Amino acid sequence: MATTKPGERKLQILQTLAQMLEQPKGEKITTAALAARLEVSEAALYRHFASKAQMFEGLIEFIETTVFGLINQISEQQDDGLSQAQAITGMLLNFAERNPGMTRVLIGDALVNEDERLQLRMNQFIERVELALRQSLKLAATQGQASEIDAANRANLISCMVVGRWHRFAKSGFKQVPTDNLQGQLAVLLV
């Protein structure tokens, strides 16, 4: 039997949890089912995570690190404010499309019946995304591409559209992809 390196088992647990979240029916995931999928005991799971909530925190940390790392890259690489807002929106929808299980975490579906602080953390995540969009749109205003007065409203509207597309994607059993007709709708939102 091959031994796993430190941290490998923890990553394997999180990857398996994310895979289980990709099931369209979205049943409640138990530690017993997760342990069975990994072919380990529940006690083995608890050697790496103190609770199931801590496992979900691991997924949330992955989401935050990935998304905000990409937002920072976009902000550094794009000088144009409207291009930043468009690229951030596209990235958020592509992230969900590539990570269906994480989409259920993003919309809070997977967090129902879990520790309340997890949903609060996802709410803060959405607020931070909206703030990043607002900063891009304020930059666009200083560049004469948009009205600064509308920056907050447009950022809110775009973030609501993103969350709505995440919901449709998850609720359609991951069939209705979030990037469908994105450019056409962004053209309406960013004029």
Side-chain angles (χ1 to χ4, degrees), residues 91-166:
M91 176 274 297
L92 292 166
L93 297 175
N94 277 309
F95 178 83
E97 200 169 309
R98 290 187 183 120
N99 301 284
M102 299 295 184
T103 304
R104 293 195 49 225
V105 176
L106 286 166
I107 65 170
D109 241 22
L111 306 177
V112 173
N113 300 322
E114 299 300 334
D115 192 308
E116 188 179 310
R117 69 183 152 74
L118 298 172
Q119 186 58 60
L120 292 173
R121 190 164 169 186
M122 288 316 306
N123 293 349
Q124 290 172 337
F125 170 84
I126 300 297
E127 289 171 12
R128 287 177 60 200
V129 163
E130 187 174 325
L131 179 63
L133 287 165
R134 188 176 319 137
Q135 288 172 335
S136 294
L137 293 170
K138 282 185 176 183
L139 174 62
T142 64
Q143 296 168 335
Q145 301 171 320
S147 164
E148 189 170 341
I149 297 168
D150 292 338
N153 289 329
R154 282 180 197 252
N156 180 260
L157 189 58
I158 292 168
S159 62
C160 287
M161 183 268 296
V162 167
V163 171
R165 283 175 169 260
W166 288 342

Side-chain angles (χ1 to χ4, degrees), residues 4-5 8-9 16 21 34 37 42 50 61 67 72 81 102 139-140 157 169 171 176 182 186:
T4 56
K5 294 178 186 168
E8 262 184 36
R9 177 62 79 182
T16 303
L21 288 169
L34 180 59
R37 177 78 67 94
E42 282 185 80
E61 283 173 24
V67 167
N72 289 339
M102 299 295 184
L139 174 62
L157 189 58
F169 182 49
K171 299 301 179 182
Q176 223 166 6
L182 173 62
L186 275 179

